[in-house]
Amino acid sequence: MKKLSQKTLNKSFITWFYGNLTCFSQEHMQTFGYLCAMLPIIEELYDKQEDRKSAMQTYTAFFNTEPQVGSLVVGMTAGLEEAKANNQPIDGEAINGIRAGLMGPLAGIGDSMIVGTLIPILLGIGLGLSGGGSPLGAIFYIVVWNVLMWFGMKFAYFKGYELGGRAVEILVGEKAQAIRDSIIMIGTIVIGAVAASWININTALMLPGGGALQKTLDGIYPKFLSAAAVIFCWWLMSKKNISPTMVMLLLVVIAFVGVLIGFFNPGLSY
């Protein structure tokens, strides 16, 4: 019976950890990074060159998901490839079907949990530590992010290898939808909290009667302009498909024009 060694599994994981975006393009996305991660697995399981070529063809198909949580798929297919090499009823088509079926669910979970929740939390802490130009914030983010990703991705990889095909039901079954909905809700709350804490937009405009518009807005809806700016940016990116870079440039233009016409005061806006 063929059994993958710990050394080979570690090599496969490290290749995915550092190279999941290898030769990244809009046509292939993470395909080549995935293929490189599976190369040590294939080399140990199959002795004949023809068998290795056939097995590697499985991993030339398009693949793209959230790379951190996606470590689970790489580990799982390593386990499935091991079962296939031991003549169990698993073929390349079945492995590809599982990969394709898990890309979407894992992308949703990973984007909500990592991009929408963890990264804003770490950045929020880092910004708090960077007051007065201190480098502690950047150091904190770099160290904590890499430590969390190393151990988190390694756990996901080896858990996928351990579960094999049983991971499919866990990730796309009935309970999976409830898990994804919960993570999305947490991510939304975190984004709202970060926006409320770090975005502070005020206006210097005076009303015809002599009162300050900002004071009137605070009496009706505190931080109204800040909330409006967040919703505006969300609308541009999600509904109009404008890139984040273009949105940032647009905000610079709006701020510049706003200061020129007296709507914003540089001393009051952040």
Side-chain angles (χ1 to χ4, degrees):
M1 180 177 178
K2 297 180 179 180
K3 180 70 175 177
L4 289 168
S5 65
Q6 188 70 28
K7 180 180 179 181
T8 297
L9 290 171
N10 284 333
K11 185 176 180 180
S12 173
F13 162 70
I14 292 172
T15 302
W16 174 256
F17 180 84
Y18 286 108
N20 53 72
L21 299 180
T22 299
C23 299
F24 186 90
S25 69
Q26 293 301 314
E27 181 181 359
H28 299 288
M29 295 293 184
Q30 298 164 359
T31 300
F32 298 122
Y34 198 130
L35 189 145
C36 290
M38 291 303 296
L39 185 58
I41 305 294
I42 301 301
E43 288 179 338
E44 183 171 58
L45 290 175
Y46 301 98
D47 298 322
K48 296 181 180 179
Q49 195 68 14
E50 294 77 11
D51 293 337
R52 290 179 177 179
K53 288 181 179 180
S54 176
M56 290 304 293
Q57 283 296 321
T58 302
Y59 305 99
T60 59
F62 176 86
F63 184 80
N64 185 51
T65 190
E66 200 287 317
Q68 281 74 47
V69 177
S71 303
L72 190 70
V73 184
V74 185
M76 189 181 68
T77 49
L80 293 173
E81 196 65 53
E82 181 183 84
K84 175 189 167 188
N86 285 297
N87 298 317
Q88 293 190 26
I90 298 172
D91 57 17
E93 185 177 345
I95 294 175
N96 252 335
I98 291 173
R99 291 199 315 150
L102 291 179
M103 283 193 300
L106 285 182
I109 292 173
D111 288 344
S112 300
M113 186 168 63
I114 305 297
V115 181
T117 304
L118 179 60
I119 290 178
I121 290 175
L122 294 181
L123 288 175
I125 296 173
L127 287 169
L129 294 173
S130 297
S134 171
L136 287 178
I139 295 172
F140 166 84
Y141 183 83
I142 293 170
V143 172
V144 174
W145 167 259
N146 281 283
V147 169
L148 289 178
M149 288 307 101
W150 173 266
F151 288 104
M153 290 174 70
K154 191 170 186 178
F155 173 80
Y157 180 95
F158 283 95
K159 180 58 67 174
Y161 171 70
E162 176 188 330
L163 291 173
R166 289 181 296 149
V168 177
E169 178 58 30
I170 297 173
L171 294 170
V172 300
E174 294 181 0
K175 294 182 179 180
Q177 184 60 47
I179 294 173
R180 289 196 295 272
D181 290 343
S182 299
I183 293 173
I184 290 172
M185 183 177 295
I186 293 172
T188 303
I189 293 172
V190 170
I191 290 296
V194 170
S197 300
W198 292 102
I199 299 177
N200 186 27
I201 301 176
N202 297 300
T203 178
L205 194 66
M206 302 299 292
L207 296 173
L213 175 59
Q214 184 61 50
K215 185 175 181 180
T216 303
L217 290 175
D218 288 341
I220 301 173
Y221 190 138
K223 291 200 171 185
F224 171 79
L225 292 178
S226 302
V230 172
I231 295 172
F232 177 62
C233 292
W234 166 82
W235 178 76
L236 289 175
M237 290 186 287
S238 65
K239 300 300 182 181
K240 296 300 181 179
N241 296 319
I242 298 177
S243 69
T245 302
M246 292 303 299
V247 171
M248 287 189 286
L249 289 174
L250 178 60
L251 292 178
V252 171
V253 173
I254 292 174
F256 181 76
V257 174
V259 171
L260 287 180
I261 65 176
F263 187 84
F264 297 131
N265 185 326
L268 296 176
S269 302
Y270 172 72

